[in-house]
Amino acid sequence: MKEQLKLHSVFSVDCVIFGFDGEEIKVLLIERGEEPYKNYFALPGDLVKEDEDLETAAGSVLQSLTGLKDIYMEQYYTFGKVNRHPLGRIITVAYYALVNLHEFQPKASSFAKGIGWVSLANIPSLGFDHNAILEKAIERLKWRVTVKPVGFELLNNKFTLRQIRKLYEAILEKNLDKRNFRRKILKMDFLLPLEEKQKNVAHKAARLYQFDYARYKELSAKGYNFDF
Amino acid sequence: MKEQLKLHSVFSVDCVIFGFDGEEIKVLLIERGEEPYKNYFALPGDLVKEDEDLETAAGSVLQSLTGLKDIYMEQYYTFGKVNRHPLGRIITVAYYALVNLHEFQPKASSFAKGIGWVSLANIPSLGFDHNAILEKAIERLKWRVTVKPVGFELLNNKFTLRQIRKLYEAILEKNLDKRNFRRKILKMDFLLPLEEKQKNVAHKAARLYQFDYARYKELSAKGYNFDF
DNA sequence: GCAAAAGTGTTGGTTGTACACCCATGA
DNA sequence: TCATGGGTGTACAACCAACACTTTTGC
């Protein structure tokens, strides 16, 4: 067994990376290849270097696993119980990120022997206090989508109204009325309707939309409400 | 001049302590007695000891200045820019607290040569990145009161409807219609009307109310909305 | 032709907002 | 008697929630 490494007063970042497969919200978990919590699933994370900002550290974790840059990320809480980490006093600053899971193939990095998407319904017992960290991320995401239309980060660039409704239903864990949802989200006026339609679907093809960032910026400058 | 002390990878807590004097929201600031930022105003804070939880550390800071225990506190963000602290890499976990400023006399502690309540309209340039830390606390408090009736922590045990309306007006920075406010907050059904009335006021004495914690707990178990 | 999802309006209830006057009290 | 805030109700507008049928497409 490896010699116990005793660390002092250091800090790490952990990342909850959310993706959406069209039906469910999933989280990117790694399977740990080393002690402590060897063979456990855990959230990806890393120690923060002396000369590295927290956001940068969180961004690197994300990039090493997904290859993605410039992703929506939000710091949401810091976990610092004295004994949360078996190797010493390590507080961890937690971020969550929203990514389009069809855009890349996750790659395990150094400390992980495996990596994969796990749906929120099937989260196992994770290493460290990561179950609590994940719980809080979910809670925060639920609130966030009612305040800011961040969900689009989880979808393709072009999407149907059904896809975004399914996404909101997955995040908020409740069903939303089709007609009311359409009316409401279109009234918000930041969806750009395209001429393009779905192809090769076994039903009437739905119109595609794009998120209009410029328009959104204008609108949100003077406040907005995104409840569903 | 004092020898520069170089610290490595440590963390601190900073506390934004809000009080309400009946008209304005105020913050408890200390005047620093030592370098760095000697003679600047700053938020009270302290390094976190190896064997101390973050909440405990924040609680001690609060207690050393106010003598109060069991106060409403909420962790809201962690600030970790590489160069935010001139003595080394110190990330700081920020908490805000809500206290009744008539309940105690603030006392300066070791690192402070002065202490006092400063209204939000008159915040000077603070040491470190404390202006940003304070800004974010205000933002968070504004949101918090629309989600949970925490404002009562800032008032006396018994209060009038006017007092609580003034408080909400101060936090949200907008005027609230007297009749609508009354109707709405009474409908929420967690205010206990007392027989007691104000005394020695040069106008019709207002009825006093108490916050009914037990009732609130019942109600919030099944969700609630506190917009104004 | 069938299964699957797209697209489309109306109604009733609830909630929000704006607004003005008389009352009690102490100075 | 005056100044200050306490206490009260209504009408209109906006928003929310519930609900069903026809259309298009691929198989």
Side-chain angles (χ1 to χ4, degrees):
Chain A
M1 197 182 173
K2 231 176 143 180
E3 197 186 343
Q4 279 270 327
L5 178 68
K6 184 75 184 171
L7 299 169
H8 294 278
S9 227
V10 295
F11 36 92
S12 61
V13 289
D14 283 307
C15 297
V16 177
I17 302 170
F18 288 113
F20 179 62
D21 67 3
E23 287 296 323
E24 292 177 307
I25 301 290
K26 303 196 160 185
V27 182
L28 197 54
L29 296 179
I30 59 158
E31 193 182 354
R32 290 182 57 86
E34 292 176 23
E35 295 292 348
Y37 293 104
K38 187 167 175 176
N39 300 328
Y40 273 69
F41 283 91
L43 295 170
D46 204 358
L47 295 179
V48 178
K49 299 192 194 71
E50 275 278 307
D51 59 350
E52 191 181 39
D53 286 337
L54 298 172
E55 292 76 24
T56 314
S60 308
V61 169
L62 189 85
Q63 207 188 338
S64 70
L65 302 173
T66 65
L68 301 175
K69 287 206 304 194
D70 299 323
I71 288 301
Y72 181 85
M73 280 194 111
E74 185 182 353
Q75 186 205 300
Y76 67 94
Y77 205 75
T78 296
F79 298 81
K81 278 261 169 291
V82 170
N83 292 314
R84 62 170 293 282
H85 198 296
L87 296 188
R89 183 69 195 278
I90 306 185
I91 71 172
T92 195
V93 183
Y95 287 78
Y96 70 84
L98 303 180
V99 305
N100 178 342
L101 60 66
H102 301 296
E103 238 175 42
F104 64 93
Q105 206 51 36
K107 290 210 173 30
S109 63
S110 53
F111 43 85
K113 65 177 193 188
I115 189 166
W117 291 105
V118 181
S119 83
L120 293 187
N122 303 320
I123 301 295
S125 177
L126 305 177
F128 310 99
D129 51 357
H130 287 188
N131 287 96
I133 297 181
L134 173 56
E135 273 310 309
K136 197 134 186 156
I138 295 167
E139 192 185 292
R140 183 62 160 259
L141 175 61
K142 270 190 193 168
W143 163 71
R144 174 55 76 196
V145 296
T146 68
V147 168
K148 214 176 149 181
V150 294
F152 300 89
E153 319 281 345
L154 292 157
L155 298 173
N156 291 324
N157 179 251
K158 299 170 183 180
F159 47 82
T160 65
L161 290 181
R162 178 191 180 81
Q163 285 165 352
I164 172 161
R165 179 165 53 89
K166 287 288 172 191
L167 170 60
Y168 272 81
E169 289 181 346
I171 295 175
L172 300 173
E173 297 180 278
K174 63 179 177 189
N175 292 330
L176 300 169
D177 181 86
K178 179 164 68 159
R179 280 178 285 191
N180 294 338
F181 182 85
R182 277 178 159 263
R183 186 180 327 131
K184 176 136 197 198
I185 204 153
L186 289 174
K187 184 143 67 81
M188 286 177 183
D189 202 29
F190 48 64
L191 290 189
L192 208 61
L194 305 175
E195 292 311 314
E196 210 176 335
K197 303 221 160 150
Q198 279 184 311
K199 287 193 182 102
N200 305 315
V201 285
H203 53 78
K204 181 168 170 181
R207 177 188 288 275
L208 293 172
Y209 291 81
Q210 270 184 326
F211 186 75
D212 186 340
Y213 286 91
R215 182 85 184 106
Y216 169 65
K217 228 173 155 183
E218 273 180 60
L219 291 169
S220 62
K222 37 186 179 140
Y224 227 71
N225 174 24
F226 302 96
D227 282 347
F228 283 99
Chain B
M1 196 180 177
K2 230 177 145 181
E3 198 186 340
Q4 280 271 325
L5 178 68
K6 184 74 183 171
L7 299 169
H8 296 277
S9 229
V10 294
F11 37 93
S12 60
V13 289
D14 282 308
C15 296
V16 177
I17 302 170
F18 289 113
F20 179 63
D21 67 2
E23 287 296 322
E24 292 177 309
I25 300 291
K26 304 196 160 185
V27 182
L28 197 54
L29 295 179
I30 59 158
E31 193 181 353
R32 290 182 57 86
E34 293 176 22
E35 295 293 350
Y37 293 103
K38 187 168 175 175
N39 300 327
Y40 273 68
F41 283 91
L43 295 170
D46 204 356
L47 296 180
V48 178
K49 299 191 194 71
E50 274 278 307
D51 58 351
E52 192 181 37
D53 286 337
L54 298 172
E55 292 75 24
T56 314
S60 308
V61 170
L62 188 86
Q63 208 190 336
S64 70
L65 301 172
T66 66
L68 301 176
K69 287 206 304 195
D70 299 322
I71 288 301
Y72 181 85
M73 280 194 111
E74 185 182 354
Q75 186 205 299
Y76 66 95
Y77 205 74
T78 295
F79 298 80
K81 277 260 169 293
V82 170
N83 293 313
R84 62 170 293 281
H85 198 296
L87 298 186
R89 183 70 196 277
I90 306 185
I91 71 173
T92 194
V93 182
Y95 286 78
Y96 70 84
L98 303 179
V99 304
N100 179 343
L101 60 65
H102 300 297
E103 237 175 42
F104 64 92
Q105 206 54 35
K107 291 211 173 28
S109 62
S110 51
F111 43 85
K113 67 178 192 187
I115 189 167
W117 291 104
V118 181
S119 84
L120 292 187
N122 303 320
I123 301 294
S125 176
L126 305 176
F128 310 98
D129 51 357
H130 286 188
N131 287 97
I133 296 180
L134 174 55
E135 273 311 308
K136 196 132 187 156
I138 296 167
E139 192 185 291
R140 183 62 160 260
L141 176 60
K142 269 189 194 170
W143 163 72
R144 174 55 75 196
V145 296
T146 68
V147 169
K148 212 176 149 181
V150 294
F152 300 90
E153 318 281 344
L154 292 156
L155 297 173
N156 290 323
N157 178 251
K158 298 170 183 180
F159 47 82
T160 66
L161 290 181
R162 179 191 181 80
Q163 286 165 352
I164 172 160
R165 179 165 53 88
K166 287 289 172 190
L167 170 60
Y168 271 82
E169 289 180 347
I171 295 175
L172 300 173
E173 297 179 277
K174 64 179 178 190
N175 293 330
L176 300 169
D177 181 85
K178 179 166 66 159
R179 279 178 288 191
N180 295 338
F181 182 86
R182 277 179 159 264
R183 188 181 324 133
K184 176 138 197 197
I185 202 153
L186 288 175
K187 186 143 66 81
M188 286 177 184
D189 203 29
F190 48 63
L191 291 189
L192 207 61
L194 305 174
E195 291 312 313
E196 208 176 336
K197 302 220 160 152
Q198 280 182 313
K199 289 196 180 98
N200 306 313
V201 286
H203 53 78
K204 180 169 171 182
R207 177 187 288 275
L208 293 172
Y209 291 82
Q210 270 184 327
F211 186 76
D212 186 340
Y213 286 91
R215 182 86 183 105
Y216 169 65
K217 227 172 155 182
E218 272 180 60
L219 290 168
S220 62
K222 36 185 181 142
Y224 228 71
N225 173 26
F226 304 95
D227 282 347
F228 282 98

